[in-house]
Amino acid sequence: MTQPARRPRRPTAVRREEILSAALDLFGQRGYGSVGIRDVAAASDLSATGIYRHFASKEDLLVGLFDRLSDRMTAAMDVASRIGDPGRALAHLVTFHAEMVVREPAMIPIYQREEHSLPPAERDRFNGVLRDYLAMWVARLVELDAGLPGAVARTTVVAAFGTLNGISLHKSDLAAQDLQDLAVRLAWRTLGPTGAVPMPRPRRNGSDEPVDG
């Protein structure tokens, strides 16, 4: 009898990303407490024991998701820190955040609901990245308007985060790119200095063609 062809083994980094994506979907749909590591294994096309080669526990999966988010935020900050113009630097951060909430909307509610489920050291480490991320937004906003009090700038940035994060909780009929462009425009309206950087123009009926002004 002919043996079925064996699937090629994927690199460990690729396999880990597939597992994390499956965990993100399941945690987002059913909640962290209602998902077992065997559920994630099945969604990743792995055996119950095979997943343990990559993650030691369900808690380890949650830490992996927060680590992935931390790495992406850190990378965005690294790029922004090398942009000399504060408006352009802030624009990079706004676009990054808008893309994050549109492309992986489940991560925001998981962060909001499950941060307390992280081990204390991991929670502290993630919150440190979050503080740095917030501080960079605030610093760039103050550079755009030197007369803006720090407390006002911080509250304004938190409001922009709320605007962006709220989109992840909304089931929109817009195409992903259109929704991302809209999220960017809404964030800039909250931040205030809308003339500092060019914003995406509205698109026509989900197409790639901008609407003429």
Side-chain angles (χ1 to χ4, degrees), residues 3-196:
Q3 295 292 324
R6 296 184 62 185
R7 295 174 61 185
R9 179 172 298 212
R10 291 187 282 284
T12 298
V14 173
R15 204 55 169 130
R16 281 179 60 88
E17 178 60 27
E18 291 173 347
I19 294 168
L20 287 173
S21 293
L24 179 67
D25 289 341
L26 289 174
F27 293 166
Q29 293 166 11
R30 294 158 51 183
Y32 175 72
S34 300
V35 175
I37 196 165
R38 289 175 181 267
D39 298 321
V40 179
S44 306
D45 196 22
L46 283 170
S47 66
T49 56
I51 197 169
Y52 289 107
R53 289 196 292 268
H54 303 277
F55 295 94
S57 63
K58 187 174 77 167
E59 183 181 75
D60 197 25
L61 278 168
L62 186 65
V63 170
L65 285 173
F66 275 80
D67 279 346
R68 187 177 69 161
L69 179 57
S70 295
D71 289 345
R72 291 176 178 178
M73 292 167 66
T74 299
M77 287 189 286
D78 286 345
V79 173
S81 69
R82 296 193 296 271
I83 300 174
D85 179 79
R88 300 285 174 180
L90 188 56
H92 176 77
L93 295 171
V94 170
T95 300
F96 159 76
H97 203 113
E99 182 176 6
M100 175 178 65
V101 300
V102 169
R103 306 294 172 171
E104 284 192 339
M107 193 63 227
I108 298 301
I110 288 172
Y111 154 68
Q112 292 173 339
R113 292 196 307 255
E114 308 300 345
E115 182 196 0
H116 70 280
S117 299
L118 291 170
E122 298 295 338
R123 184 166 61 248
D124 290 345
R125 184 161 61 89
F126 175 76
N127 284 331
V129 174
L130 193 58
R131 284 192 296 271
D132 291 343
Y133 184 68
L134 172 62
M136 178 169 280
W137 280 64
V138 172
R140 298 295 86 80
L141 185 59
V142 169
E143 287 174 10
L144 285 172
D145 184 356
L148 190 66
V152 173
R154 181 183 176 86
T155 301
T156 301
V157 168
V158 170
F161 285 179
T163 297
L164 290 166
N165 292 347
I167 289 173
S168 69
L169 307 176
H170 169 63
K171 181 65 174 176
S172 176
D173 293 330
L174 292 173
Q177 187 60 58
D178 293 330
L179 182 59
Q180 181 178 321
D181 291 348
L182 177 60
V184 168
R185 292 197 303 275
L186 292 173
W188 276 109
R189 288 180 186 176
T190 303
L191 291 168
T194 53

